[in-house]
Structures are given as C-alpha cells and as structure tokens.
Amino acid sequence: MAKPKRAWQRMLSGRRLDLLDPTPMDIEIEDIAHGLAFVARWNGQTQGEWAYSVAEHSLLVEAIFSRLNRDIAPKWKMAALLHDAPEYVIGDMISPVKAAIGPGYSALDERLTAAVHLRFGVPAVLPAVIKSQIKAADRISAWMEAVSIAGFSEAEADKLFGRLNEPLITGLAIQLRPPTVVRADFVRRHADLLAELG
C-alpha cells in the first residue's frame, strides 16, 4: 500500500497547515505576512532593486478598494487586504499559468481563502458585489504595476486591465521595499483593521 503524499507545510509560527483541509486555527497573520512579503509578483520580472511582493500589492489593493468604497465596513477592507493570502503557501502564479493548471488550483485557493477569512472575521465566501469591487481594485493595481515596473506600455495595460481612472490613484505609487519592511507594514495594517472590527 502506497504511503499517502504529504499535503501539509510547517509554518514559521510552528503551525502545521494542511493544504487540502486547512482550518482557521492553523492560520497566523505573521505567517501570511512573511510568506507574502517574500513572494514576487510578475514571476519576479520587474524592474528595481527589490522584487515587488504580493504583500506590497495587497496593501495597495486594500488602499484602492477603500478609495473606491468610502465608508465600507472594516471586514470588507480586511477581505481586500487578504485577497491573495493563499499565495503565502501556494505562491503567486500569473494568470496564464493558473489557466493552464485548471480547476485544481482554484479549488485549493478557495479552501485556503475560506480558512483565512474565517480566522479573521470575514465570511468564508464573499458577497459577489464585494468580490467584484476587490477585483476592480486588483485590476487598477495590476495596471499601475504593469506600467511602472513590468515594462508594459499604457496602451498594453489599458487593453489587459482596463483604462485607469487617474484621479483615483492620486498619491498612490508602486513601492519597492525590503521584504522585512513590507512584512511589518502588512502586519500593522492587519492590526489596524482588526481594531476597527472591534
């Protein structure tokens, strides 16, 4: 009889996260922040001294989402901050790779997302309108990243991500920072949102 393949990962917190059956009790924000701060967006194909991390992207998406949705409940801001949280263990794959892998990737992502959401006071499955607004913020962030650090022209970015609403991003910028700095900012923003959740 074949030995079952290992489907868990030991996290730096000491937690043992079962990737096939994750539970909220196995989720720690420090593990998420650490993993996302060291995962590069765009498969690392960006300009600059530091890779543009998923944690940095997540902070930007939450800021854009909050601008798009003034006076929205803190739990939805938390959902925006954590929109790519599963990538702390499964990595960031560009859309063409996700499409090639197929439904298995989506199922894994959904299980991890549900566990993360439940751990931090967000519904396991987001309402369609919230998911859509987070996706809109995600596309704006992708446009900014594409043009600023990934070598795309504005015309290419418009075609792939939609035309940018310039006033919406006034004062926001793509930042390239050391992973430890981004990790600390991610944890800090998470703590602020938890405090707002009360």
Side-chain angles (χ1 to χ4, degrees):
M1 187 166 152
K3 182 179 176 182
K5 294 187 188 233
R6 180 171 70 90
W8 57 268
Q9 179 177 347
R10 172 85 55 205
M11 311 311 291
L12 286 179
S13 65
R15 296 283 189 189
R16 187 168 136 160
L17 181 67
D18 184 337
L19 299 177
L20 300 180
D21 188 23
T23 69
M25 295 310 300
D26 294 324
I27 308 291
E28 296 293 342
I29 196 59
E30 292 80 7
D31 293 332
I32 293 171
H34 182 82
L36 296 184
F38 284 89
V39 172
R41 294 261 300 160
W42 303 92
N43 280 347
Q45 298 302 303
T46 54
Q47 301 162 356
E49 184 176 343
W50 300 100
Y52 187 73
S53 73
V54 174
E56 194 79 75
H57 163 77
S58 297
L59 288 164
L60 181 58
V61 168
E62 190 268 321
I64 294 167
F65 173 81
S66 295
R67 286 183 177 197
L68 285 169
N69 301 279
R70 305 268 183 211
D71 302 319
I72 193 132
K75 68 181 173 182
W76 306 131
K77 293 179 186 179
M78 180 72 80
L81 180 68
L82 297 172
H83 78 283
D84 279 339
E87 294 178 9
Y88 85 111
V89 287
I90 59 177
D92 180 39
M93 291 188 221
I94 59 173
S95 296
V97 174
K98 289 178 186 175
I101 291 173
Y105 178 89
S106 294
L108 179 60
D109 184 81
E110 287 168 13
R111 284 193 298 273
L112 286 164
T113 296
V116 169
H117 282 182
L118 292 173
R119 175 71 170 90
F120 299 115
V122 176
V125 178
L126 298 179
V129 66
I130 298 298
K131 193 169 184 177
S132 174
Q133 287 297 314
I134 293 171
K135 191 63 185 164
D138 195 31
R139 281 194 304 273
I140 292 167
S141 178
W143 190 100
M144 293 172 67
E145 296 163 27
V147 169
S148 299
I149 57 174
F152 287 65
S153 69
E154 289 191 10
E156 287 175 306
D158 287 349
K159 188 174 181 181
L160 288 170
F161 307 112
R163 187 172 297 277
L164 187 66
N165 176 351
E166 295 285 344
L168 179 69
I169 64 164
T170 300
L172 297 177
I174 300 301
Q175 299 184 72
L176 300 173
R177 303 183 295 163
T180 53
V181 173
V182 182
R183 178 182 64 199
D185 278 356
F186 189 95
V187 169
R188 190 175 306 113
R189 183 60 184 148
H190 179 267
D192 291 345
L193 290 172
L194 271 185
E196 285 184 44
L197 281 167

